[in-house]
């Protein structure tokens, strides 16, 4: 009762209405794209092009070194101009390939769309996932093929359509507009991988999506819809599995025969199976109180975000802005709008600067402990940042950096930062 | 490229704040302060026991303590903490220096001389809070440190000044608080001896009983608790577990001695337990932060309080229990943190606590059962003459003021007359006009069931006891 069975979390304000007013728009005419040479946070990339090379839309321009040989594709056809550094969504500068768009959208090989997408063997399926660069589009950018390339039986596929972070609506809009395609893809994945059932997880309060899905699900006997409470971070893999399937696991859900995939990732799998299309574009939510026209936009990988914002009307004011890559809880505020679109960017959030409030000392109220979904004690970790043995006792490595401890603290202390330091110290020790 | 503010996330913030929590606390204390003004100021003034200054004295008392701790803290910060705060006004806003003082004022006896109160406030502020590093860093509850200092060093001075009773109570009730009255008795006591001298249990609940300045009203503490728990201001688990533990142990003790539900209720409602549980034990800085830790804390607080009340003669059991557990919060939080991930870490402390609770209930309960009910020490037989079937007793019984001397004649195993020879009780006329003596004579076979005279409770109760003790002696001597 008091222990690990109760799920912790907080009901956050949704703030989703401002970006769901219109359908997903498209911005696909960037003059230059800057393809980040980074794959799943790893910058060890073999570059396969050089200056003045001509590349096709969708051709491989780099490949990750190491165990997961994920390719990086060009999102436009044109000439390679240079290599430059631009800001990635984690706030750091990353080397990028600068390609001049010739606006011809030329692909190397023209293929007709496949009529059915479930006639692949499992090996072919894994191969497609790998070579089309499918990664987790929920933000974690984990190489998707590695999730499915397992010897043990997969019993359940959980489709994560929860999108628990406030402001972000990319998954919702995509699911709403491409429902049939996504369901077809889920069905195909079940068949190809011999999975028994699929469970689509949505928030209880997401009435539009729930109604839409119940209309379609009649035709798919193996796909079920399960509602989860509107609590952040309900979309966190561990809590979602616990809520939907009532099991816990050590490191990966496959230990209990479960695979969790984000709904936008499923759509990119659909495009890969149907059109052999690699990951070269994604839906990004451009939102926040300081944007004139918040909306969801389909953008190419490598597009400069400042260009996109200008095309939709720009900012309400130009001073005292906070420009966040990602959502309000897990996103990072950047010093300028130099950001380029990458597979992991699900949201660009522009807010008014939050006034710094006077901090009091920690009064040990214990609220951070009550809300922590990872069941660790942030305040105690904060006190022992300099004692590495205590950090190990308090399991600082379990932190998922959801930000709820900082959110709830009455003394306005940024506790998450302390836990991050503790987590880093523990990881360095290993 | 525009330059933006790259402050650290998260970029959403809950609207709770330390200021709001402190305001909630002060709101809850307001009715308690007003009640203490009523009980210790207005009542004595209306009864003519004190003058105009005495009317406002409770407020002055609390105010002096609050102002002293505030000034001591601010002075200390100005002298020694210059580099920690941007300006002294920031310190004042974030250190809440007056809170320990207000609490100290509420938990001390009203007859504490102001000079000692000021000294205690200085100790509370310095030793209890600032020397540890100020707000957020102290290990012990500062108000309790001040109270411990005062009651250890100056208890005699305070007792000579009148102790815990205010001038109105000194006039109307016998000179002891309910718990000192209870601990003075060697046997476990009864409803008449423990509760009735102060009224009924509802008086205990409302708080019109002797005690510290603001600790007595269990009712106001209860509604304060509901408000604070509802607004998520305090760690509500601690008072619930604390009070429940004391209730369970005293229930066991009472049950083993054939006492009803009133016994555990008496113990919960006296000794400032409700006040200590809701306000002192839940002080956020000095109590555990983990949920499991808070349960363990509450369990052992209850155990210690019962231990101090029944097995030691020292007063202030609640104060000592909380200060003792303050020392152990660090270990308790470690257990709490570990048990959050793996619950088995909490099993051992819980089992230990429950074993101790049951063991304490049985040992203390049996200890009281074994002591024979001694003869009432306030009762004395001056002479007893037997002539044939008539025995004439001349006895004294402690009354409201001094002793009652009476002659009791028992003829043919029946009390035939009670003659009051000496009595200095002002309330005796009331007893006389109620024909109480006749009632006692009439119902001499079932004296326990005879009610006392309202408005002259102690006097009539003493007369009843006098007759019961005499009859007991008579029965023993005649092997009836």
């Amino acid at each position: 009762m008091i222990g690990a069975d109760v799920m912790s979390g907080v009901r956050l304000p949704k703030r989703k209405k401002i970006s769901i007013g219109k359908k997903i728009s498209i911005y696909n005419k960037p003059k230059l794209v800057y393809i980040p040479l980074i794959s799943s946070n790893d910058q060890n990339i073999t570059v396969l092009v050089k200056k003045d090379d001509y590349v096709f839309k969708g051709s491989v321009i780099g490949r990750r070194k190491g165990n997961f040989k994920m390719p990086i594709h060009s999102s436009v056809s044109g000439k390679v101009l240079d290599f430059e550094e631009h800001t990635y969504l984690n706030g750091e500068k990353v080397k990028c390939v600068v390609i001049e768009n010739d606006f011809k959208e030329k692909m190397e090989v023209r293929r007709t769309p496949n009529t059915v997408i479930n006639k692949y063997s499992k090996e072919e399926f894994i191969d497609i996932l790998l070579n089309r660069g499918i990664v987790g589009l929920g933000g974690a950018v984990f190489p998707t093929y590695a999730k499915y390339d397992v010897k043990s039986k997969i019993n359940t596929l959980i489709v994560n359509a929860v999108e628990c972070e406030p402001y972000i609506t990319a998954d919702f809009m995509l699911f709403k507009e491409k429902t049939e395609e996504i369901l077809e893809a889920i069905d195909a994945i079940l068949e190809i991988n011999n999975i028994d059932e699929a469970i689509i997880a949505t928030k209880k309060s997401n009435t539009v999506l729930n109604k839409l899905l119940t209309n379609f699900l009649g035709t798919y006997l193996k796909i079920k819809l399960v509602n989860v409470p509107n609590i952040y971070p309900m979309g966190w893999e561990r809590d979602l599995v616990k809520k939907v399937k009532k099991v816990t696991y050590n490191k990966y859900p496959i230990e209990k025969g479960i695979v969790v995939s984000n709904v936008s990732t499923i759509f990119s799998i659909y495009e890969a199976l149907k059109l052999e299309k690699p990951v070269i574009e994604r839906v990004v939510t451009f939102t926040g109180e300081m944007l004139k026209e918040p909306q969801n936009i389909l953008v190419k990988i490598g597009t400069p975000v400042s260009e996109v914002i200008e095309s939709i009307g720009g900012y309400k004011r130009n001073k005292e802005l906070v420009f966040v890559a990602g959502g309000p809880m897990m996103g990072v505020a950047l010093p300028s709008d130099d950001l380029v679109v990458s597979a992991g960017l699900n949201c660009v959030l522009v807010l008014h600067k939050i006034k710094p409030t006077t901090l009091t000392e920690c009064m040990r109220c214990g609220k951070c402990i009550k809300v922590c979904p990872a069941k660790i004690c942030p305040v105690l970790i904060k006190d022992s940042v300099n004692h590495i043995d205590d950090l190990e006792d308090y399991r600082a490595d379990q932190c998922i950096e959801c930000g709820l401890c900082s959110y709830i603290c009455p003394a306005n202390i940024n506790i998450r930062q302390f836990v991050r330091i503790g987590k880093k110290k523990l990881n360095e020790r290993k | 490229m525009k330059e933006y503010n790259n402050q650290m996330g998260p970029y959403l913030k809950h609207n709770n704040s330390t200021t709001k929590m402190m305001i909630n606390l002060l709101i809850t204390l307001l009715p308690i302060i007003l009640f203490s003004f009523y009980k210790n100021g207005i009542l004595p003034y209306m009864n003519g026991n004190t003058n105009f200054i005495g009317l406002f004295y409770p407020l002055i008392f609390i105010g002096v303590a609050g102002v002293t701790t505030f000034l001591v803290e601010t002075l200390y910060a100005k002298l020694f903490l210059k580099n920690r705060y941007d300006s002294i006004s920031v310190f004042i806003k974030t250190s809440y220096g007056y809170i320990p003082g207000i609490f100290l004022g509420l938990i001390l006896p009203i007859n504490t001389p102001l000079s000692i109160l000021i000294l205690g406030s200085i100790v509370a502020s310095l030793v209890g809070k600032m020397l540890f590093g100020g707000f957020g860093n102290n290990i012990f509850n500062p108000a309790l440190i001040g109270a411990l200092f005062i009651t250890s060093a100056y208890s005699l001075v305070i007792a000579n000044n009148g102790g815990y009773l205010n001038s109105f109570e000194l006039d109307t009730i016998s000179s002891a608080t309910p718990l000192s009255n209870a601990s003075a008795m060697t046997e476990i006591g009864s409803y008449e001896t423990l509760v009735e001298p102060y009224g009924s249990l509802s008086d205990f609940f409302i708080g019109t009983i002797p005690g510290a300045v603001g600790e007595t009203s269990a009712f106001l503490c209860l509604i304060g608790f509901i408000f604070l728990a509802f607004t998520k201001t305090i760690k509500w688990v601690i008072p619930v577990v604390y009070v429940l533990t004391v209730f369970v142990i005293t229930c066991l003790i009472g049950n083993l001695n054939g006492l009803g539900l009133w016994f555990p209720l008496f113990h919960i409602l006296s000794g400032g337990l409700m006040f200590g549980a809701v306000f002192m034990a839940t002080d956020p800085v000095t109590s555990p932060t983990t949920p499991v830790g808070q349960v363990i804390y509450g369990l052992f607080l209850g155990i210690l309080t019962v231990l101090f009340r029944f097995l030691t003669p020292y007063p202030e059991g609640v104060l000592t229990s909380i200060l003792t557990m303050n020392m152990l919060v660090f270990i308790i939080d470690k257990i709490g943190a570990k048990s959050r991930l793996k619950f088995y870490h909490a099993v051992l402390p819980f089992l230990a606590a429950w074993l101790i609770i049951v063991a304490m209930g049985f040992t203390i309960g049996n200890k009281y059962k074994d002591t024979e009910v001694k003869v009432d020490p306030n009762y004395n037989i001056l002479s007893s003459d037997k002539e044939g079937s008539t025995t004439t007793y001349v006895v004294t019984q402690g009354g409201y003021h001094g002793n009652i001397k009476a002659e009791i004649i028992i003829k043919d195993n029946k009390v035939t007359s009670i003659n009051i020879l000496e009595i200095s009780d002002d309330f005796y006329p009331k007893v006389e006009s109620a024909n109480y003596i006749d009632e006692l004579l009439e119902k001499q076979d079932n004296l326990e069931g005879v009610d006392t005279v309202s408005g002259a409770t102690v006097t009539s109760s003493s007369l009843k006891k006098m007759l019961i003790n005499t009859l007991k002696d008579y029965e023993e001597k005649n092997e009836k």
Side-chain angles (χ1 to χ4, degrees), chain A residues 2 315 321-322 328 333 335-336 353 360-361 363-364 367 369 390 395 403 407-410 412 414 417, chain B residues 2-5 7-14 16-18 84 232 235 284-285 289 292 334 340-341:
Chain A
I2 299 179
Y315 307 104
L321 293 178
V322 179
S336 69
K353 179 178 90 160
T360 59
E361 303 250 358
M363 52 187 256
R364 312 185 70 79
K367 285 180 199 264
I369 298 181
D390 285 337
R395 301 304 307 270
Y407 171 80
I408 204 85
C409 178
N412 289 344
N414 198 342
Q417 202 48 33
Chain B
K2 301 180 181 48
E3 295 299 316
Y4 297 138
N5 187 327
Q7 59 190 110
M8 259 197 278
Y11 306 99
L12 266 182
K13 184 75 187 71
H14 194 276
N16 61 6
S17 69
T18 323
R84 246 221 265 177
K232 300 200 183 148
K235 301 169 180 170
V285 180
T289 52
V292 164
K334 260 238 156 110
R340 199 144 173 82
L341 289 162

Side-chain angles (χ1 to χ4, degrees), chain A residues 227-247:
Chain A
N227 289 332
V228 294
N230 180 14
I231 291 184
Y232 176 83
M234 202 63 241
W236 176 38
E237 200 174 63
R238 212 172 269 275
D239 266 357
L240 189 62
V241 169
K242 201 193 290 183
K243 188 76 184 177
V244 168
K245 290 299 286 181
K246 314 217 189 318
V247 293

